[in-house]
Amino acid sequence: MNVIGNPIPKPDAYDKVTGGKGYPVNVRLPGMLHARILRSPYPHARILQVDTAEAERLPGVKAVLVPSDVPQIKFHPVYFAPSEALSMVRDMLILSDTVRFAGEPVAAVAATRPEIAEKALELIHVEYQQLPAVLDPEEAMKPGAPQIHAHAPNNIALNPSFSFGDLEKGFAEADFIFENTYQTQRVHTCYMEPRVCVVDSDARGNLTVWSSTQHLFGLREKLAFALGIPVGKVKVVRPPYIGGGFGGKLDMGFIEPICALLSLKAGRPVRAEHTRYEDFITTARNPIKIHLKTGVKKDGTFTARYAKSILDTGSHATHGAVVLMVHGFYGFLLPYRCPNQKWEGCSVYTNNMIGGGFRGYGAPQAAFAVESHVDEICHAMKLDPIEFRLKNAHREGEPHPFEPSFTLSTYRLADCLQQGSAKIGWNQRHANRSNGSKRRGTGFACQPLWVSGCVGFPDIYEHSGAILKLNVDGSVDLSTATIDMGCGQHTVLAQIAAEELGVPFEAVRITYADTETVPFDAPSHASRVTYSSGNAVRAAAASAKKRLLAIAGPMLQAPPEELETANGLVRVKGSPDRSVSVADVVRQAESPYIQMVPDGMRKTSLDEKGTILGMASLAPTSNPSPATAEFVEVEVDTETGEVKVLRVVFAHDIGRVINPTGAEGQVEGGFQQGLGYALMEDLAFDHSNGACLAADFLNYKIPTALEMPSRIESIFVESNEPTGPFGAKSLAESCLIVPAPAIANAIYDAVGVRVRDLPITPEKILAGLGKL
């Protein structure tokens, strides 16, 4: 391998940190108008009248939009599922005559300057009829609670249930039964670039969209569906990069359809950019209350597992359906073996803000509950928590528990636990403990089973495409719809293309793409890009390479099957002195058929003419599971309740590592998000009116460099997955799934306080110590 496995820096890193032109927030078009949105101050109300006359008379105002102006087509905004998927709930309108959360759009304005649009909002007069609101999901399910959507009795959007074996028999066979309830909170993804878009229209009603999005084709489909127009009338341009997403830009917001309608009305491009407050009320990880009941034999074998999960989906279902299913399957039912299991889930409407996608997608909530619960069982039964997990874990070579036609061909949870525990000194963790006010503890948590994409999941897109073009200077243009969220997705794809083609990494560049010029690619989500998009890129590169060798064969007087590529050369196998550069081969293919040479004309071959291209569009053949174990050491101040994470060891079965630097960055970024989830982040609301109390990062706390541990050590177990590009599988989401339970378990080890609701604040620890 010449490129795979090398710690190659992101080529666009400097551009990104200096506010590069590639961010969608920097898109500007001639004649562009600026949109602002009027939002409801009430969590639940009927709109009786909207008077826009005064706003429309304001100089500079070019278009105003109210509910009666928009198509009344109910849609779901989630990119990765088809618009008419039966598993999704279509309960949203672009603008509605009923608002269901404080901050839901009521009207919109486009004006020549942002301050004019803001002034115009003040001139719109709305008459509301306030309706009773409910903000607690369990209250919302009770008889007599305010009805939020007519189609959902007791405000239950969805209530899936799955069971295996005989639960009652399993509990009867248990020597011990454990039961507890865990609660997680609402948190925001905190991407740096706000949601922003520019939409332009032409006289034929065609739309061109620039947006900070995680999916080109999903935005095209959802926008066309909500507007009631063919997808061919919508073109979405892929930004070179976006300022973060983490799942928070995995659905169409209100701004894209609003800007599209304003642009069609005004005949000019329209731009909308969220304030931080608007971002805070647009997407969040759903809070989930999880009740667990577990039957265990004396030797630590599970005999029965039951869980009930109540998810607050807010005013609209959006991601609530899929978050709940991933939570139930990959968070509870699948990670450990047990013959008798049942899970019941409820996705409940409330008058809270809507939820969204967030790295881990339902699994962080489940992992906090399950891994805390397992730790409690091990302490109560005095069992080794590593051996306990391995006793109930899956084994390499077994059928995949979700899709038995797939095999756990590479599965190294045991290696992760063994190497991680050795690195952190698990067996010596209780030696030399201080009895002072600051106590240290060590804990760990696992995500035993996760995904490399979504193949096998019902109603979720999972295929990818790529196009490669070789140039006469030996460079390679790689066109793909894959969005780089800042995680280095494009760097990894360029490495895969370079390795397969046998050219230097620097020869490959990611080029322009939009929904009219490149094949479909599923979103950048679900830990899928390296595995799924990487397989498509490798196949496209292999196709281009085949053509390259066919043209080089006559030049080297050797059949193509005897040729190979490396370091920008095509050479005869076993004869390194017989070679020609990739650039020379491409020039031969691109040259005129008849060429003038010093002694006259020279005829070449028509068979060798034509641009050297490679193209692929395919779905992955499997969904290999990574496995994760994370160990943390904490220090708890028993006088203040403050928790410091001192050290982190993260062990992950990643398949082959494509880019070690990028992989370590994923681990460190994921831990930062997990640290905030565990100890400080909580998107707070006024319980009297549902208003969000966070407007900026002064009010919403996330970890800074001061809170991060000084040591984060990554162990990558390279299991060489046979279905992955050069042996790779996934990494991204597991980095965030496991920190919260690992920290919770370490806190218990330090001071003996078990906190079952996130975040674990100093007040909760002091209360557990009996000091509050």
Side-chain angles (χ1 to χ4, degrees):
M1 298 287 182
N2 294 318
V3 184
I4 298 299
N6 291 341
I8 295 173
K10 301 171 189 172
D12 53 8
Y14 181 81
D15 196 36
K16 288 176 177 173
V17 299
T18 54
K21 296 177 182 177
Y23 289 115
V25 76
N26 290 327
V27 172
R28 297 289 189 278
L29 298 179
M32 187 175 73
L33 302 175
H34 300 270
R36 290 292 185 272
I37 296 173
L38 183 68
R39 296 177 181 274
S40 167
Y42 304 114
H44 200 190
R46 188 169 294 115
I47 298 170
L48 302 179
Q49 186 177 359
V50 184
D51 182 354
T52 63
E54 197 175 352
E56 292 182 72
R57 287 195 296 269
L58 185 68
V61 171
K62 301 299 180 184
V64 178
L65 211 61
V66 297
S68 59
D69 296 326
V70 310
Q72 296 298 297
I73 300 172
K74 288 190 175 181
F75 65 93
H76 79 79
V78 181
Y79 289 152
F80 54 70
S83 295
E84 297 182 306
L86 295 180
S87 58
M88 305 300 290
V89 181
R90 281 182 277 155
D91 59 12
M92 295 185 71
L93 294 170
I94 301 169
L95 295 174
S96 170
D97 62 3
T98 300
V99 289
R100 296 178 170 87
F101 72 96
E104 185 157 359
V106 173
V109 171
T112 52
R113 298 205 306 270
E115 56 270 27
I116 295 175
E118 289 166 7
K119 177 65 178 174
L121 294 186
E122 299 173 4
L123 302 177
I124 296 175
H125 305 289
V126 184
E127 183 180 354
Y128 296 96
Q129 178 192 5
Q130 289 194 60
L131 301 171
V134 59
L135 304 174
D136 181 279
E138 291 180 275
E139 293 296 321
M141 289 190 288
K142 291 180 178 177
Q147 186 76 26
I148 299 173
H149 290 276
H151 66 264
N154 300 320
N155 292 312
I156 296 175
L158 290 162
N159 58 339
S161 176
F162 295 92
S163 61
F164 308 94
D166 186 332
L167 195 67
E168 291 187 8
K169 175 173 173 286
F171 280 121
E173 292 173 350
D175 295 314
F176 302 95
I177 294 176
F178 298 88
E179 198 164 2
N180 262 312
T181 300
Y182 306 82
Q183 176 71 59
T184 66
Q185 78 281 36
R186 181 179 281 105
V187 294
H188 192 263
T189 56
C190 295
Y191 42 72
M192 289 294 102
E193 183 184 37
R195 281 186 177 233
V196 61
C197 73
V198 177
V199 183
D200 196 10
S201 61
D202 65 20
R204 293 174 295 168
N206 296 308
L207 300 169
T208 302
V209 184
W210 295 261
S211 173
S212 187
T213 177
Q214 290 179 229
H215 193 205
L216 292 194
F217 286 90
L219 177 51
R220 180 179 74 160
E221 179 190 334
K222 298 300 174 294
L223 183 58
F225 187 89
L227 297 177
I229 61 177
V231 293
K233 295 186 80 66
V234 179
K235 177 172 74 176
V236 182
V237 180
R238 194 206 64 213
Y241 40 79
I242 64 173
F246 314 114
K249 297 172 182 175
L250 200 50
D251 50 46
M252 182 177 71
F254 288 103
I255 57 174
E256 283 93 356
I258 284 175
C259 284
L261 291 169
L262 288 170
S263 178
L264 289 167
K265 206 168 185 179
R268 293 168 63 169
V270 177
R271 177 181 187 273
E273 177 186 340
H274 272 183
T275 64
R276 187 57 64 180
Y277 173 78
E278 288 177 310
D279 261 348
F280 274 129
I281 61 170
T282 296
T283 183
R285 172 176 289 141
N286 300 95
I288 304 180
K289 185 175 185 177
I290 307 138
H291 181 76
L292 297 180
K293 182 179 179 182
T294 306
V296 190
K297 281 190 170 296
K298 290 178 181 176
D299 67 354
T301 304
F302 286 137
T303 62
R305 299 176 74 217
Y306 168 77
K308 182 173 183 178
S309 305
I310 298 175
L311 179 147
D312 180 354
T313 198
S315 60
H316 299 281
T318 62
H319 292 258
V322 186
V323 166
L324 188 64
M325 294 294 283
V326 173
H327 166 87
F329 273 95
Y330 277 86
F332 176 72
L333 290 170
L334 302 182
Y336 293 107
R337 295 185 299 177
C338 179
N340 309 297
Q341 298 194 79
K342 183 175 183 179
W343 169 74
E344 298 175 295
C346 283
S347 181
V348 185
Y349 286 121
T350 64
N351 291 111
N352 291 310
M353 63 169 286
I354 56 180
F358 194 166
R359 196 174 181 179
Y361 215 75
Q365 299 97 316
F368 171 66
V370 170
E371 292 296 298
S372 295
H373 191 63
V374 167
D375 204 58
E376 292 181 68
I377 293 171
C378 292
H379 277 284
M381 297 179 64
K382 301 186 186 311
L383 296 175
D384 183 287
I386 293 176
E387 293 179 5
F388 183 93
R389 285 170 170 85
L390 290 176
K391 180 181 288 291
N392 293 289
H394 300 283
R395 305 283 188 271
E396 188 169 86
E398 291 180 352
H400 195 293
F402 184 73
E403 173 49 86
S405 67
F406 300 156
T407 301
L408 294 173
S409 51
T410 54
Y411 185 73
R412 305 289 166 81
L413 177 64
D415 289 345
C416 294
L417 285 165
Q418 186 274 324
Q419 294 184 36
S421 61
K423 173 75 78 174
I424 204 157
W426 177 255
N427 291 334
Q428 296 80 41
R429 64 190 185 282
H430 291 146
N432 303 319
R433 285 282 174 87
S434 167
N435 290 321
S437 62
K438 293 184 177 181
R439 310 282 179 83
R440 292 192 175 189
T442 304
F444 75 95
C446 299
Q447 181 59 36
L449 198 83
W450 193 239
V451 301
S452 295
C454 297
V455 71
F457 290 11
D459 280 344
I460 296 183
Y461 292 122
E462 184 52 290
H463 59 282
S464 300
I467 301 173
L468 281 92
K469 179 170 72 69
L470 275 61
N471 301 305
V472 294
D473 61 356
S475 64
V476 180
D477 293 334
L478 170 57
S479 298
T480 169
T482 302
I483 299 290
D484 191 323
M485 290 189 289
C487 310
Q489 286 95 342
H490 284 178
T491 304
V492 165
L493 296 183
Q495 285 183 262
I496 291 170
E499 186 69 51
E500 181 63 32
L501 279 169
V503 301
F505 171 78
E506 295 75 16
V508 181
R509 64 188 173 205
I510 307 293
T511 59
Y512 172 89
D514 64 43
T515 49
E516 294 179 353
T517 60
V518 292
F520 181 94
D521 194 285
S524 295
H525 78 134
S527 303
R528 64 172 296 280
V529 169
T530 297
Y531 180 75
S532 299
S533 301
N535 269 323
V537 167
R538 187 179 185 187
S543 173
K545 181 178 173 181
K546 183 178 180 181
R547 176 64 178 156
L548 180 77
L549 299 184
I551 297 169
M555 297 173 71
L556 292 168
Q557 298 183 332
E561 57 271 20
E562 293 184 8
L563 302 180
E564 63 183 4
T565 58
N567 301 318
L569 297 174
V570 181
R571 62 194 185 196
V572 179
K573 294 176 184 175
S575 302
D577 55 327
R578 294 175 62 193
S579 67
V580 62
S581 72
V582 169
D584 284 341
V585 179
V586 179
R587 278 195 288 272
Q588 181 77 356
E590 297 278 9
S591 65
Y593 168 45
I594 297 177
Q595 302 169 8
M596 294 301 297
V597 295
D599 55 351
M601 292 188 292
R602 181 173 70 93
K603 183 183 293 186
T604 62
S605 167
L606 286 174
D607 292 338
E608 68 192 19
K609 298 306 172 196
T611 298
I612 298 178
L613 298 168
M615 184 173 70
S617 179
L618 52 83
T621 58
S622 186
N623 194 336
S625 175
T628 304
E630 185 168 69
F631 295 77
V632 300
E633 182 182 11
V634 303
E635 182 180 81
V636 183
D637 189 325
T638 57
E639 298 298 326
T640 66
E642 181 185 12
V643 177
K644 286 185 179 178
V645 177
L646 304 175
R647 189 182 173 199
V648 177
V649 174
F650 181 88
H652 192 109
D653 167 17
I654 193 176
R656 186 183 296 275
V657 181
I658 302 292
N659 187 324
T661 300
E664 289 174 1
Q666 288 272 23
V667 171
E668 292 165 10
F671 184 80
Q672 183 186 30
Q673 291 179 309
L675 176 65
Y677 191 49
L679 298 180
M680 62 184 72
E681 294 184 44
D682 190 359
L683 196 51
F685 289 80
D686 185 328
H687 294 294
S688 67
N689 57 20
C692 181
L693 299 177
D696 51 42
F697 288 123
L698 289 176
N699 294 307
Y700 186 87
K701 304 298 185 187
I702 60 175
T704 68
L706 294 177
E707 286 81 27
M708 287 289 283
S710 59
R711 296 176 68 185
I712 298 179
E713 299 157 81
S714 299
I715 300 170
F716 297 122
V717 177
E718 294 196 275
S719 54
N720 197 14
E721 166 61 34
T723 66
F726 299 104
K729 45 187 181 182
S730 77
L731 169 67
E733 290 171 294
S734 295
C735 306
L736 169 55
I737 293 172
V738 289
I743 292 170
N745 293 341
I747 291 171
Y748 181 82
D749 185 55
V751 296
V753 174
R754 177 67 63 184
V755 180
R756 298 189 182 90
D757 59 315
L758 294 177
I760 305 172
T761 61
E763 292 81 1
K764 293 176 185 175
I765 291 174
L766 291 176
L769 290 170
K771 295 185 176 181
L772 276 183

